[in-house]
Amino acid sequence: MANMDQISVNLWVKMEPFIVGALQIPPPSKFSMHYLRKMSTYVRMRSSEGYYPHLSWPMWRHIACGKLQIEKDLAWLYFELFDSLVERTSEERLEWAEVISSCATEEEAEKQKNKLSVDTLQFLLFLYIQQLNKVSLRTYLLGDEWPNPRSKNYSLTGESTNQIKNWNDNYQQDFIQNHLQDLLELLLDPDQLTASSHSTHNSLMSPEAVRALGFLIEGCVNRNSTVHPLHALALWQPLHAKSGYSKISKAFSFPKLESWLRACLTGNPFGTSACLKSGKKLAWAQQVEGTTKRAKIACNTHMVPSAHRIVVMSQVYKQTLAKSSGTLEDTHVKIHRCCESFIYLLSPLRSVTIEKCRNSTFVLGPVQTVVHLHSCDNVTLIAVCRRLSLSSTTSCTLHVLTPTRPLILLGNLAITFAPFHTHYPKLEDHMGRTGLATVPNYWDNPMLVCKENCDRNVFRLLPPSEFYPFVVPFEMEGDTTEIPGGLPPAYQKALSQREQRIHIWQKTVKEAGLTKDQRKTFQVYVENKFNEWLVQTGSRQQLDSLVLPAAGSKQAAG
């Protein structure tokens, strides 16, 4: 048996629930502890009616719309967002896509949704962590939400991370430490609470509740690289005295459990801070002559379990960067402060956050959970993704294929949505691996999440007359030779008409009977016009910088 003196347990806050699951907006006012406590009691009292231990969509819809007074679309958004965090196989995701896309009416789709359910206790914790992006009146007035060099939330790249907290592991740890009692009390059975819904020193917590808390916390023993679920550590015999587990009551002492959690909680060894501090530095980007900006790209993929893979990319400037590699696969990617660049990440990805980038184009492999754009200007995004969300972006064009409605959060202006319009040889293989199908596709039906602060005029759908397909300029092995799912009819018609006009023009030139000198003069004129267009559109820069990745396979395939 292990010697207690030799056992040291480290616990940390998992990043994925925050990166993927916490919407970058203040939560509905009724997601407060007061109402979540009421919900916690309500669901347990109706365990035989589809509320507990699993909460069905109809029951959540009843609570959300009837008691919390939020709209049905928003209720479904939170339910669906939580579901994206649940471990499912790609086959299960594709089967659900087929079921929903085969529904002829909204009523049929609703019947299918009615069959879905989520873990009740984990869902309560998920609703609680939406407060991550809550701005209190006090912090707003005192300025704590704004950049502060003395704040511990000042990141290693020299930027304040207060404004988008989903990637800030220091903030997440503070959030859980500061709200741990609330989180634990949400998980207590009603008979373990006082009349005012608080715990006592005699309160007992069930192993099922501790298992649910594993949604947010995990750990290891003696700094070993093996990651264990929270409940496995808490129930481990040598730790019973500290975690407060009793074999007699088959439950945990609330105060002992809370004390043990607080004592063991530490920084996430697989988080952003650790990645930037001790992760592998990648020489994917070039240093551009005449600039002081130095690209910083780091990853932890060589040293962490597969569920914790991160790539952080900052300050890529005036260049083309193209990668399709094992280093990228299934990673959470953060792209920060990139400017006047073309970035191709052609691998299946777990999530992508693009923050404070401008005048750049991002072409992504299929993204299994979410792509979030924050504080970007004049960015073009081309991606297949489960979800797209936008906050504080201006003049961005989004060519997406997505089975969920794109989320327009706060502070956006002049957004253009357009159909997904490219392909690369491994695209369909990568889509299959991430559980993403070609239908349903809601690229053209965005959701204004903050209606009271949003004007429907913040976005438009790209007119077919302005539509051009996009070519990925790299050779790879694979079977995909066309845009998955094709183009919407109006856009396909516009392309066909344009091709027909080109054909007529070529025929006219051919039949014009030009002399050799006239043909040469005409050819020079066309080339000059084409070069002018390249410069005006910024395509000249992309062509020039393509020399680097195209010259050898390392840049494109490494």
Side-chain angles (χ1 to χ4, degrees), residues 59-79:
M59 299 305 103
W60 164 240
R61 185 180 61 219
H62 168 69
I63 292 171
C65 302
K67 304 202 175 290
L68 303 181
Q69 296 176 331
I70 64 174
E71 292 184 8
K72 180 184 166 185
D73 282 352
L74 194 58
W76 173 249
L77 166 58
Y78 283 109
F79 194 84

Side-chain angles (χ1 to χ4, degrees), residues 226-516:
T226 304
V227 177
H228 298 283
L230 175 64
H231 71 274
L233 292 169
L235 288 167
W236 189 34
Q237 171 87 34
L239 293 176
H240 285 180
K242 289 194 173 183
S243 68
Y245 184 70
S246 164
K247 286 185 176 178
I248 298 168
S249 65
K250 291 186 167 49
F252 292 87
S253 156
F254 185 97
K256 276 195 172 183
L257 179 68
E258 183 183 0
S259 176
W260 177 69
L261 291 170
R262 289 192 187 282
C264 295
L265 268 174
T266 185
N268 186 341
F270 311 125
T272 315
S273 302
C275 177
L276 290 168
K277 187 177 179 182
S278 54
K280 184 178 180 182
K281 304 299 184 280
L282 300 171
W284 288 358
Q286 311 297 318
Q287 180 65 14
V288 178
E289 279 186 46
T291 68
T292 56
K293 294 183 180 179
R294 182 167 293 278
K296 301 182 183 98
I297 304 175
C299 76
N300 65 6
T301 55
H302 61 296
M303 56 191 273
V304 303
S306 57
H308 302 80
R309 295 159 63 88
I310 290 175
V311 172
V312 181
M313 187 181 298
S314 183
Q315 296 189 164
V316 176
Y317 179 61
K318 280 195 172 180
Q319 59 193 284
T320 295
L321 187 157
K323 298 297 292 183
S324 179
S325 70
T327 301
L328 269 177
E329 288 182 12
D330 304 318
T331 57
H332 293 285
V333 180
K334 181 175 182 181
I335 305 171
H336 179 252
R337 285 198 180 279
C338 293
C339 180
E340 295 178 48
S341 292
F342 299 86
I343 295 176
Y344 298 79
L345 304 179
L346 305 180
S347 293
L349 307 166
R350 182 68 179 157
S351 78
V352 178
T353 299
I354 302 172
E355 184 182 357
K356 295 180 182 175
C357 294
R358 58 190 177 87
N359 304 330
S360 295
T361 295
F362 299 94
V363 187
L364 306 177
V367 182
Q368 195 172 12
T369 58
V370 65
V371 176
H372 181 67
L373 267 69
H374 175 73
S375 198
C376 291
D377 184 19
N378 194 29
V379 157
T380 297
L381 171 73
I382 303 168
V384 179
C385 56
R386 183 159 308 283
R387 182 174 302 287
L388 170 70
S389 59
L390 315 166
S391 57
S392 304
T393 60
T394 304
S395 302
C396 292
T397 301
L398 313 156
H399 290 267
V400 290
L401 191 169
T402 178
T404 61
R405 296 176 66 188
L407 304 181
I408 300 176
L409 307 178
L410 291 168
N412 300 288
L413 196 63
I415 303 301
T416 300
F417 291 98
F420 184 74
H421 65 334
T422 195
H423 60 86
Y424 61 91
K426 289 186 177 179
L427 177 56
E428 285 168 307
D429 173 51
H430 290 169
M431 287 174 67
R433 284 172 56 183
T434 49
L436 290 164
T438 57
V439 288
N441 183 7
Y442 296 116
W443 70 271
D444 57 349
N445 186 22
M447 178 177 174
L448 291 164
V449 180
C450 310
K451 288 178 182 169
E452 64 278 9
N453 296 312
C454 282
D455 179 352
R456 191 165 178 82
N457 295 327
V458 301
F459 77 90
R460 65 165 191 157
L461 301 184
L462 185 75
S465 60
E466 296 177 26
F467 175 79
Y468 292 86
F470 185 91
V471 177
V472 174
F474 305 108
E475 289 185 359
M476 301 166 69
E477 291 181 0
D479 301 322
T480 303
T481 56
E482 57 188 15
I483 299 165
L487 292 169
Y491 294 87
Q492 186 57 59
K493 183 181 177 183
L495 271 190
S496 300
Q497 289 174 341
R498 196 178 294 130
E499 286 167 4
Q500 190 177 9
R501 288 197 296 272
I502 292 169
H503 179 71
I504 292 168
W505 169 246
Q506 288 171 334
K507 187 180 177 187
T508 302
V509 171
K510 190 176 180 181
E511 294 173 353
L514 299 176
T515 65
K516 189 175 179 180

Side-chain angles (χ1 to χ4, degrees), residues 138-190:
R138 178 186 173 275
T139 54
Y140 180 78
L141 291 174
L142 296 180
D144 292 346
E145 293 291 332
W146 300 103
N148 175 4
R150 293 182 296 279
S151 165
K152 68 185 291 183
N153 296 327
Y154 213 66
S155 80
L156 293 171
T157 52
E159 295 297 329
S160 166
T161 49
N162 276 319
Q163 288 162 299
I164 183 165
K165 298 162 185 168
N166 299 54
W167 271 80
N168 188 336
D169 46 358
N170 292 326
Y171 191 91
Q172 291 159 17
Q173 185 184 344
D174 287 349
F175 179 86
I176 295 298
Q177 284 273 20
N178 293 338
H179 298 89
L180 186 59
Q181 187 175 351
D182 280 357
L183 291 164
L184 291 173
E185 287 181 348
L186 268 186
L187 301 176
L188 278 176
D189 287 327

Side-chain angles (χ1 to χ4, degrees), residues 34-157:
H34 173 74
Y35 287 99
L36 292 183
R37 274 198 187 106
K38 285 189 170 185
M39 177 178 164
S40 179
T41 302
Y42 185 84
V43 293
R44 284 178 169 87
M45 290 168 62
R46 290 161 178 77
S47 58
S48 61
E49 302 170 33
Y51 286 90
Y52 183 82
H54 288 93
L55 180 65
S56 67
W57 161 238
M59 299 305 103
W60 164 240
R61 185 180 61 219
H62 168 69
I63 292 171
C65 302
K67 304 202 175 290
L68 303 181
Q69 296 176 331
I70 64 174
E71 292 184 8
K72 180 184 166 185
D73 282 352
L74 194 58
W76 173 249
L77 166 58
Y78 283 109
F79 194 84
E80 189 179 47
L81 190 57
F82 176 81
D83 183 70
S84 69
L85 287 161
V86 176
E87 218 171 288
R88 300 195 195 284
T89 64
S90 54
E91 289 77 18
E92 287 172 324
R93 297 286 185 194
L94 292 170
E95 282 170 19
W96 173 250
E98 191 175 343
V99 165
I100 285 296
S101 61
S102 64
C103 293
T105 64
E106 186 60 40
E107 288 73 23
E108 281 182 42
E110 195 67 17
K111 279 182 185 175
Q112 294 300 331
K113 290 177 182 178
N114 287 344
K115 298 175 184 177
L116 299 178
S117 63
V118 295
D119 182 292
T120 308
L121 294 181
Q122 289 190 5
F123 188 63
L124 278 165
L125 296 176
F126 165 79
L127 295 178
Y128 189 92
I129 68 167
Q130 300 307 318
Q131 295 184 51
L132 181 81
N133 290 301
K134 183 178 180 180
V135 180
S136 70
L137 181 61
R138 178 186 173 275
T139 54
Y140 180 78
L141 291 174
L142 296 180
D144 292 346
E145 293 291 332
W146 300 103
N148 175 4
R150 293 182 296 279
S151 165
K152 68 185 291 183
N153 296 327
Y154 213 66
S155 80
L156 293 171
T157 52

Side-chain angles (χ1 to χ4, degrees), residues 522-536:
F522 181 67
Q523 188 176 356
V524 170
Y525 173 79
V526 171
E527 283 180 2
N528 287 339
K529 284 292 178 188
F530 179 61
N531 282 320
E532 283 177 23
W533 176 84
L534 286 176
V535 172
Q536 286 168 1

